[in-house]
Amino acid sequence: MRERVLGEVHARPFRPLTSPRTVLHYAFLTSAEEAAQDQAWLSEFCISRGTHGPAPGNRHHTVSFGGGTLSWEQHAEFTTYTWDGAANPERIFGPLPAAHPFGAAFRAPGDLLVAVRLELREPMNDEIWRSQFDESSLTVSNLEDEAAGVATDFRQDGDGLTRILVFNRSLSDVQSGAVIQRLLEVETYRTLAMLGLFEAGNLQPEIRRYEIELAELTGQMKDASALGANQDLLDKLTALAAALEAGATASTFRFGASRAYDQIVKARFATLKEEAAPGELSMASFLSRRLAPAMRTCQAIEDRQAMLSRKLARATTLLRTRVDVELEQQNRSLLQSMNRRARLQLRLQQTVEGLSVAAVSYYVVGLISYLAKAAKDAGLPVPSANIATGVSVPVIVLLIWWTVRRIRKHHGEH
């Protein structure tokens, strides 16, 4: 990774710019697939002009075009195209230069997010340039310790471009390039930061619905006592928690990205050393009126999501505990019933064992009776068959009882 890490330091150098100069800057939201298709298109575009395209894996490239320079950059979720060329020295914000690359042949890689027209000029009379802006939202600032000035109203002109006018008082060409790049980044990142506000607006009704539903389910928990009712409530709470987590997961990236972009905007203003011109409103002050509330709204929605998630977790845990206790009580009752059934079975078994001893003894005594009668008929010295049978009864009963007892004891040991 060493080569790539070292190359990243020099990835986006400041290009020296001289005045008068016109800069067109476009930013497009791009997915991974759109970014790959855009890089392939740019490679073909560069080859068609007799130059090489961006190397595989590169996220930035520069090519000469129309007497100026076209720069291409890929970021995490957007792609930018920036072209600078000579400006009309006599008229500010006149017709767009015919040599710019964003004509009918240009292929937009994704949804258009930012479109900026910036002009770098020498200081001029206020009456000349003020008519190009809306006075109600005009901001005028000094940059780099009054080495430069900037004016913009953050509105779109007839071509859908946000106009920014930069006055070069004492900047070098490299400083001019740095100032212009940072101003373009301010416009790009402040637009990206505002995307979180609309995500928050989309989530707000949904979160409110979740809060109302949670309150209703919590109220039902007080009245629910049957196991089936508690299980139904638990299923509803689980489904509600899953829906909330899905929405929170989907919005985590957008809110985190908005905070990061907002910090970048603040860092760029600090680097530019921007201060309001006397009697004017600064860019930072104007943007903070909307960016700051937008960031607070995003944070508030995140906090509500987190709080609702914790409440759902507590309610689910409480209800699950109640269900577990009810199940344990049912299991206890079931075990008691099984114990009673086992005792009844034991008594029945003991009764059956007593009957079996009598029955087996009866059959054995009968066999002995037949043997005694047969022996007497055969002339053997048997006093009487009835006496022999009667004498054998207690002996046989005891022997059978002892045998059954041994068998039961043997089974019990195993």
Side-chain angles (χ1 to χ4, degrees):
M1 299 291 289
R2 178 173 182 272
E3 183 178 352
R4 294 177 62 183
V5 170
L6 294 177
E8 190 65 24
V9 178
H10 308 284
R12 299 171 179 89
F14 300 127
R15 295 192 312 277
L17 293 178
T18 58
S19 56
R21 202 75 175 170
T22 293
V23 180
L24 298 179
H25 174 78
Y26 292 90
F28 304 89
L29 287 174
T30 52
S31 62
E33 182 180 356
E34 290 172 336
Q37 295 174 353
D38 180 56
Q39 185 170 6
W41 175 85
L42 181 63
S43 296
E44 295 178 358
F45 174 81
C46 293
I47 292 173
S48 67
R49 300 190 61 82
T51 183
H52 62 86
N58 281 9
R59 304 176 68 87
H60 52 87
H61 189 67
T62 302
V63 61
S64 298
F65 187 96
T69 303
L70 176 64
S71 297
W72 167 84
E73 295 181 8
Q74 278 190 345
H75 299 259
E77 60 173 332
F78 65 96
T79 300
T80 63
Y81 281 88
T82 307
W83 177 82
D84 65 271
N88 187 333
E90 299 178 356
R91 181 181 176 186
I92 62 171
F93 296 116
L96 290 174
H100 74 80
F102 306 110
F106 178 74
R107 177 186 176 276
D111 294 333
L112 178 63
L113 181 70
V114 178
V116 179
R117 179 178 182 180
L118 185 149
E119 292 204 358
L120 177 64
R121 298 281 181 167
E122 297 296 330
M124 61 182 68
N125 191 290
D126 288 0
E127 296 179 357
I128 299 176
W129 59 267
R130 277 188 175 271
S131 61
Q132 301 293 329
F133 297 100
D134 182 359
E135 286 287 345
S136 63
S137 59
L138 178 62
T139 64
V140 184
S141 304
N142 293 321
L143 308 176
E144 299 288 346
D145 299 324
E146 299 188 3
V150 59
T152 181
D153 58 3
F154 299 102
R155 296 188 181 277
Q156 296 181 0
D157 62 9
D159 297 316
L161 300 169
T162 301
R163 293 180 175 182
I164 301 177
L165 181 61
V166 178
F167 304 108
N168 182 4
R169 299 189 182 110
S170 59
L171 296 174
S172 66
D173 293 347
V174 174
Q175 287 177 319
S176 297
V179 166
I180 287 174
Q181 182 166 328
R182 287 166 182 154
L183 288 172
L184 294 177
E185 289 174 350
V186 166
E187 177 64 16
T188 301
Y189 289 122
R190 69 100 178 177
T191 307
L192 285 161
M194 290 296 291
L195 294 180
L197 176 62
F198 304 103
E199 181 73 16
N202 293 333
L203 287 173
Q204 193 163 358
E206 189 174 300
I207 293 176
R208 180 56 182 163
R209 179 171 60 85
Y210 292 158
E211 291 172 340
I212 294 174
E213 188 172 352
L214 176 59
E216 293 175 352
L217 293 176
T218 306
Q220 294 175 17
M221 285 173 57
K222 297 185 298 182
D223 303 326
S225 58
L227 178 61
N230 287 328
Q231 287 179 334
D232 290 340
L233 285 175
L234 184 58
D235 291 340
K236 293 178 180 179
L237 282 174
T238 304
L240 184 61
L244 174 65
E245 292 301 325
T249 301
S251 62
T252 296
F253 169 78
R254 184 74 275 149
F255 290 154
S258 291
R259 283 194 298 270
Y261 294 139
D262 181 53
Q263 293 299 320
I264 293 175
V265 171
K266 293 177 180 177
R268 294 297 182 268
F269 278 131
T271 304
L272 288 168
K273 301 177 183 178
E274 190 235 7
E275 295 180 352
E280 303 288 353
L281 184 66
S282 68
M283 296 175 64
S285 299
F286 180 84
L287 292 180
S288 66
R289 294 171 55 195
R290 291 306 304 142
L291 269 180
M295 295 303 102
R296 286 195 293 269
T297 301
C298 294
Q299 186 63 49
I301 292 296
E302 277 193 302
D303 293 342
R304 287 176 66 185
Q305 286 177 329
M307 179 62 71
L308 186 57
S309 179
R310 288 193 293 269
K311 290 180 179 179
L312 273 169
R314 288 197 297 267
T316 303
T317 301
L318 178 62
L319 192 56
R320 185 176 288 112
T321 302
R322 181 188 293 181
V323 171
D324 290 341
V325 170
E326 291 179 355
L327 286 175
E328 289 177 0
Q329 290 177 347
Q330 285 191 354
N331 292 336
R332 181 181 178 184
S333 300
L334 180 60
L335 289 174
Q336 290 176 347
S337 175
M338 292 175 64
N339 288 336
R340 288 194 300 269
R341 190 177 294 110
R343 285 196 296 269
L344 291 174
Q345 289 178 348
L346 178 60
R347 292 175 183 175
L348 180 61
Q349 182 181 354
Q350 292 173 346
T351 302
V352 171
E353 286 177 356
L355 295 175
S356 64
V357 169
V360 173
S361 299
Y362 173 79
Y363 285 112
V364 173
V365 169
L367 293 175
I368 292 176
S369 174
Y370 287 129
L371 288 174
K373 291 178 181 179
K376 185 177 180 63
D377 293 341
L380 295 178
V382 178
S384 172
N386 292 332
I387 294 175
T389 302
V391 171
S392 67
V393 169
V395 177
I396 295 302
V397 170
L398 289 174
L399 182 62
I400 296 299
W401 174 81
W402 179 79
T403 302
V404 172
R405 183 180 177 87
R406 286 291 304 274
I407 293 172
R408 187 173 63 185
K409 183 178 180 182
H410 177 74
H411 288 168
E413 291 176 352
H414 286 284

